[in-house]
Amino acid sequence: GPKKARFVIGMSQCNLGEPWRVQMNADIAAAAKEHPGIEVVFKDAQNDTLKQRAHVEELVAAKVDVLFVSPKEAQPLTEPIGKAFDAGLPVLVLDRAVLGERYTTFIGADNKKIGRAAGEWTKKVLGGKGKVVELKGLMTSTPGQDRSAGFREALAGSEIEIAFEADMKWLEPEARKEMDSALARLPKIDLVYAHNDPGAHGAYLAARAAGREKEMKFVGIDALPHEGVSYVEQGILDATFQYPTGGREAVDTALRILKGESVPKTITLGSRRFTKDDVKKGGERIE
Ligand code: FRU
């Protein structure tokens, strides 16, 4: 029979130990499966930046047709990604950005906008005043920087104080530990803003262990159906903001590149807010 075209996508994932990244890889695999000519080779750097740099170099050396990277940290991944791009390989950077513009396309949601929406919601539910704990994602990654900046922008001028802040590096056990410190230091907390749902859940567990979970609200980001959205349904979180993985969009973009079409430099994905009032009707779109 006729020879099928075969293309290989190399996907460097920074850490498969987190549910959101398991979902991203699953979304990529599902979209690729619809195209028999496409094969995806997955690498998991297990949250190790040096390992991820090596994976990028390995995939380039293996001559994949398109390279996907969801980088752990911006700065250290910039050079290997830029080198691959300069050599003519199409490179899609997913969800966490690198420095500069040496890549083909960036695909991800607008983290500043999500942070701002979390700040606006916080202002509303706290009536414009109170004490907040901010548990940040890894601050050497762009979503951590942007989710913090957007949130603070929305709170500016209000009487809401960020009374405790810490970098929990996107990890639930780290968030739980940092929340223990916040609880020990602050006699009253009105709301915890964590940059992802694992972080918000870790904070909730710490507060519950201290018998204080009813004193405060918990806000997270990701809104996976089986994680954040389910926490809202159970009354564990008060709000979560959807952070789409972009896996399907990445495969679609790769196919366009392989067909010789031109693609945009940035593809920005939308987001939704889920609270107990609207979770049943699928949340509310963020404008
Ligand atoms: C998973 C994760 C998500 C978060 C995203 C930000 O590693 O921490 O929870 O939304 O990365 O890049």
Side-chain angles (χ1 to χ4, degrees):
K3 222 175 138 226
K4 266 187 298 188
R6 275 219 88 82
F7 292 108
V8 178
I9 296 171
M11 165 61 190
S12 161
Q13 182 58 275
C14 61
N15 185 20
L16 216 45
E18 293 168 69
W20 187 84
R21 295 192 179 280
V22 172
Q23 187 61 48
M24 185 200 263
N25 279 16
D27 290 345
I28 291 170
K33 222 176 143 209
E34 294 166 16
H35 305 276
I38 299 285
E39 184 197 331
V40 189
V41 175
F42 291 96
K43 299 272 183 195
D44 168 19
Q46 298 173 300
N47 219 19
D48 177 338
T49 289
L50 291 180
K51 194 179 266 179
Q52 189 168 29
R53 285 175 58 120
H55 282 164
V56 168
E57 285 160 4
E58 266 172 53
L59 291 168
V60 172
K63 297 204 172 1
V64 297
D65 298 290
V66 180
L67 177 64
F68 290 1
V69 188
S70 191
K72 177 179 175 186
E73 297 176 283
Q75 196 276 330
L77 270 307
T78 295
E79 198 43 41
I81 287 174
K83 253 173 89 179
F85 174 72
D86 290 346
L89 180 62
V91 186
L92 306 191
V93 177
L94 309 182
D95 117 79
R96 298 187 187 172
V98 290
L99 309 179
E101 304 231 301
R102 289 159 70 212
Y103 53 84
T104 309
T105 298
F106 173 80
I107 302 176
D110 182 341
N111 284 297
K112 200 133 184 224
K113 194 170 171 183
I114 293 173
R116 228 182 281 128
E120 291 298 340
W121 190 81
T122 295
K123 238 170 26 186
K124 199 179 82 188
V125 296
L126 297 188
K129 56 175 194 291
K131 284 198 190 321
V132 166
V133 168
E134 183 182 11
L135 297 176
K136 300 167 171 171
L138 189 67
M139 289 303 274
T140 49
S141 70
T142 54
Q145 296 159 5
D146 293 344
R147 290 174 192 185
S148 188
F151 185 71
R152 283 153 191 260
E153 207 178 277
L155 295 188
S158 75
E159 286 167 54
I160 294 172
E161 182 202 345
I162 297 173
F164 183 96
E165 59 188 282
D167 190 334
M168 52 76 177
K169 307 185 181 88
W170 304 117
L171 304 172
E172 175 158 344
E174 291 281 334
R176 187 168 178 165
K177 206 175 72 194
E178 295 296 352
M179 188 64 189
D180 282 336
S181 305
L183 289 160
R185 206 164 314 162
L186 303 172
K188 178 75 176 41
I189 297 168
D190 296 296
L191 182 144
V192 179
Y193 168 52
H195 288 188
N196 66 1
D197 291 334
H201 188 245
Y204 170 85
L205 292 180
R208 197 180 65 184
R212 290 176 60 183
E213 82 280 11
K214 294 206 170 61
E215 165 191 321
M216 64 198 82
K217 298 198 182 319
F218 297 89
V219 180
I221 296 171
D222 280 345
L224 292 175
H226 54 285
E227 192 192 33
V229 170
S230 157
Y231 292 153
V232 170
E233 282 164 354
Q234 294 170 60
I236 291 172
L237 297 190
D238 296 279
T240 180
F241 292 79
Q242 182 201 20
Y243 190 56
T245 70
R248 176 162 293 276
E249 290 81 355
V251 172
D252 289 347
T253 305
L255 287 164
R256 288 176 60 186
I257 292 170
L258 292 169
K259 280 190 224 146
E261 293 173 20
S262 67
V263 292
K265 190 77 191 176
T266 306
I267 296 174
T268 306
L269 308 170
S271 175
R272 302 180 77 77
R273 186 196 67 210
F274 295 87
T275 65
K276 76 167 183 319
D277 300 326
D278 57 31
V279 69
K280 280 201 181 64
K281 59 174 175 64
E284 187 83 38
R285 208 168 96 208
I286 301 303
E287 297 302 339

